[in-house]
């Protein structure tokens, strides 16, 4: 649930997106691989999502714009993963836009 250097590079891209688009709110969805206990994976994924939210907040993004959601092993990309590379694909954090605030004036108006 710690932010790696590789994850920080990706999160910095998200910081830029959020800075450039202050009208949007997002959900950060974290996932685990299927190894280990389901309950443990659920808690781990929630901690991962919360760590990402904290990183964004530390970068100046309002936490009110971000929802952290851990999905554990419930949304695997590769079911029955066999290799470490396949397990790594399942371990991820994704974001989706959940709200776009209206009332932002268009610059061309």
């Amino acid at each position: 649930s710690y932010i790696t250097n590789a994850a920080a590079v990706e999160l910095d891209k998200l910081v830029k997106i959020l800075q450039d688009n202050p009208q949007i709110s997002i959900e950060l969805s974290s996932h685990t691989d299927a190894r280990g206990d389901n309950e443990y994976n659920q808690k781990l994924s929630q901690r991962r999502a919360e760590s990402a939210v904290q990183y964004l907040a530390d970068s100046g993004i309002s936490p009110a714009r971000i929802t952290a959601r851990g999905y554990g092993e419930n949304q695997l990309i590769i079911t029955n993963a066999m290799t470490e590379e396949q397990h790594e694909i399942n371990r991820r954090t994704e974001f989706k836009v959940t709200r776009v605030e209206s009332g932002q004036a268009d610059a061309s108006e």
Side-chain angles (χ1 to χ4, degrees), residues 2-109:
Y2 297 100
I3 303 298
T4 64
N5 289 337
V9 169
E10 297 304 315
L11 287 170
D12 288 341
K13 294 175 187 176
L14 183 54
V15 167
K16 178 73 170 127
I17 291 169
L18 293 170
Q19 287 172 335
D20 290 348
N21 298 280
Q23 73 279 13
I24 66 173
S25 295
I26 63 168
E27 176 186 291
L28 285 174
S29 308
S30 287
H31 307 267
T32 65
D33 58 35
R35 296 182 289 188
D37 176 81
N38 187 40
E39 182 179 347
Y40 173 82
N41 284 337
Q42 185 65 41
K43 291 177 182 178
L44 174 60
S45 65
Q46 186 64 37
R47 287 194 312 271
R48 285 181 179 163
E50 290 168 1
S51 291
V53 170
Q54 187 61 55
Y55 184 93
L56 296 176
D58 291 346
S59 298
I61 305 301
S62 170
R65 296 175 57 197
I66 312 163
T67 302
R69 182 100 189 260
Y71 288 92
E73 58 189 76
N74 295 320
Q75 296 181 4
L76 298 173
I77 292 174
I78 301 175
T79 56
N80 302 316
M82 301 294 280
T83 67
E84 186 56 36
E85 291 78 20
Q86 291 174 330
H87 288 296
E88 192 173 312
I89 289 169
N90 285 329
R91 294 188 304 265
R92 68 200 185 280
T93 297
E94 303 170 326
F95 82 92
K96 65 180 174 183
V97 174
T98 56
R99 186 175 66 234
V100 178
E101 294 291 327
S102 61
Q104 298 291 328
D106 186 335
S108 64
E109 293 180 337

